[in-house]
């Protein structure tokens, strides 16, 4: 199902990750001129200067209509990208592989079987000839379980050679026992996975502000969805791509796109 999505999905905003394109005309031109060379057809792929950004998927989860309080099933479905009748809508969990010919960076790691039909990211990487121990860096946009899970699934350090970057405010929030005690059930995995993250990755890079990760890759502060929600800016050769996650949910945040649903 996911492989049938076109590159246009980038611009439309995939369910769990959306992209904001900077310098759009130049990006569009670069995209058209740079056909993927990998053997596996990508979910979506775009080139920014020397970088290639490829969308991967860890799988999907079907969320019940009751997950969106205050809206009827019809209102929710009208805004959803994928319906999962009769019970709800389908969320696809995406991650992004960024390569520049030298380094491999992964943005987010998926729920890793902790919810829905997920756990496919290792296979998605393998299909592109990449093992998890070959990732140089993993940037986690925030410490919700569907972005963090793959790092710690099975209680193991699944990306043993990667520098792992997370905003310091999220590390503080999601490892605070007092906050975990007060948190609802659906956030408990995010807390427990965050504890695992700190335990398994002692060299975790807890970043402040908007630092550069490497030449052409830097952090964007997007605090709001979580205290330390971040995006990733990729720029090279006059082209720029800002990658964001969980900001443009048409169902959850209708006002953000000019929708008419009650909030
Ligand atoms: Zn989130």
């Amino acid at each position: 199902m996911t492989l049938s999505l076109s590159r246009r999905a980038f611009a439309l905003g995939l369910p769990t990750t959306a992209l904001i394109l900077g310098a759009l005309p130049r990006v569009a031109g670069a995209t058209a001129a740079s056909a993927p060379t990998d053997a596996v057809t990508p979910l979506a792929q775009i080139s920014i200067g020397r970088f290639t950004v490829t969308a991967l998927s860890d799988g999907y989860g079907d969320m019940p209509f009751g997950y969106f309080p205050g809206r009827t099933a019809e209102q929710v479905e009208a805004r959803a990208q994928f319906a999962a009748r009769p019970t709800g809508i389908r969320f696809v969990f995406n991650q992004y592989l960024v390569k520049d010919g030298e380094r491999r960076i992964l943005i987010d790691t998926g729920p890793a079987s902790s919810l829905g039909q997920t756990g496919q990211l290792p296979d998605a990487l393998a299909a592109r000839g990449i093992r998890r121990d070959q990732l140089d860096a993993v940037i986690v946009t925030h410490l919700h379980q569907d972005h963090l899970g793959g790092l710690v699934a099975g209680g193991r350090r699944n990306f043993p050679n990667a520098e792992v970057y997370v905003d310091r405010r999220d590390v503080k929030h999601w490892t605070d026992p007092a906050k975990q005690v007060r948190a609802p059930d659906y956030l408990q995995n995010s807390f427990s996975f965050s504890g695992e993250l700190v335990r398994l990755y002692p060299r975790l890079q807890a970043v402040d502000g908007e630092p550069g990760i490497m030449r052409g890759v830097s952090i964007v502060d997007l605090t709001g969805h979580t205290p330390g929600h971040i995006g990733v800016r990729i720029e090279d050769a006059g082209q720029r791509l800002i990658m964001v996650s969980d900001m443009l949910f048409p169902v959850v945040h209708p006002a953000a796109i000019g929708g008419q649903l009650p909030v």
Side-chain angles (χ1 to χ4, degrees):
M1 173 200 69
T2 52
L3 290 180
S4 67
L5 287 176
S6 73
R7 178 179 293 145
R8 187 163 172 265
F10 266 115
L12 294 177
L14 294 165
T16 59
T17 303
L19 306 181
I20 298 171
L21 302 180
L24 188 58
R26 300 186 66 172
V27 170
T31 301
S34 54
T37 56
D38 305 53
V40 180
T41 303
L43 177 66
Q45 192 171 71
I46 193 168
S47 294
I48 301 296
R50 71 183 193 280
F51 293 104
T52 301
V53 181
T54 303
L56 306 173
S57 175
D58 192 43
Y60 65 90
D62 290 342
M63 302 299 182
F65 289 118
Y67 190 74
F68 309 97
R71 300 177 178 89
T72 66
E74 289 72 24
Q75 287 174 320
V76 171
E77 194 168 52
R79 295 282 180 169
Q81 187 171 16
F82 302 113
R85 282 286 189 180
T87 55
I89 65 167
R90 180 157 295 181
F91 281 14
V92 178
F93 299 102
N94 293 112
Q95 304 77 45
Y96 295 91
L97 177 66
V98 183
K99 300 196 310 184
D100 72 348
E102 294 181 11
R103 304 197 64 178
R104 301 181 178 101
I105 306 167
L106 184 66
I107 302 175
D108 287 336
T109 63
S113 301
S114 68
L115 58 84
Q117 305 300 310
T118 58
Q120 300 168 18
L121 177 62
D123 287 344
L125 287 167
R128 309 198 73 77
I130 298 173
R131 301 186 312 269
R132 285 179 290 185
D133 63 5
Q134 294 176 310
L135 269 294
D136 297 295
V138 176
I139 301 172
V140 188
T141 59
H142 60 293
L143 293 182
H144 279 161
Q145 74 177 85
D146 52 322
H147 299 260
L148 156 69
L151 277 161
V152 300
R156 289 187 294 272
R157 187 158 55 103
N158 292 320
F159 294 87
N161 298 317
E163 296 283 351
V164 179
Y165 297 89
V166 188
D167 188 280
R168 186 181 304 280
R169 295 164 298 183
D170 253 28
V171 175
K172 183 171 186 289
H173 178 90
W174 296 103
T175 59
D176 184 337
K179 288 189 168 58
Q180 181 170 7
V181 165
R182 295 194 300 269
D185 287 348
Y186 73 91
L187 291 176
Q188 289 301 319
N189 274 343
S190 298
F191 281 98
S192 59
F193 288 0
S194 296
E196 287 282 85
L197 178 71
V198 171
R199 182 177 73 84
L200 293 169
Y201 295 84
R203 291 171 49 235
L204 182 71
Q205 304 283 324
V207 303
D208 298 300
E210 300 191 332
I213 300 301
M214 63 188 69
R215 185 169 62 90
V217 180
S218 57
I219 297 299
V220 181
D221 184 359
L222 300 173
T223 183
H225 179 65
T226 65
H229 192 197
I230 55 176
V232 181
R233 180 188 294 106
I234 298 166
E235 49 192 337
D236 189 50
Q239 300 170 348
R240 184 173 67 242
L241 178 69
I242 295 179
M243 308 188 64
V244 304
S245 66
D246 290 10
M247 286 192 71
L248 301 176
F249 274 117
V251 169
V252 181
H253 304 303
I257 59 168
Q260 300 302 313
L261 292 177
V263 289

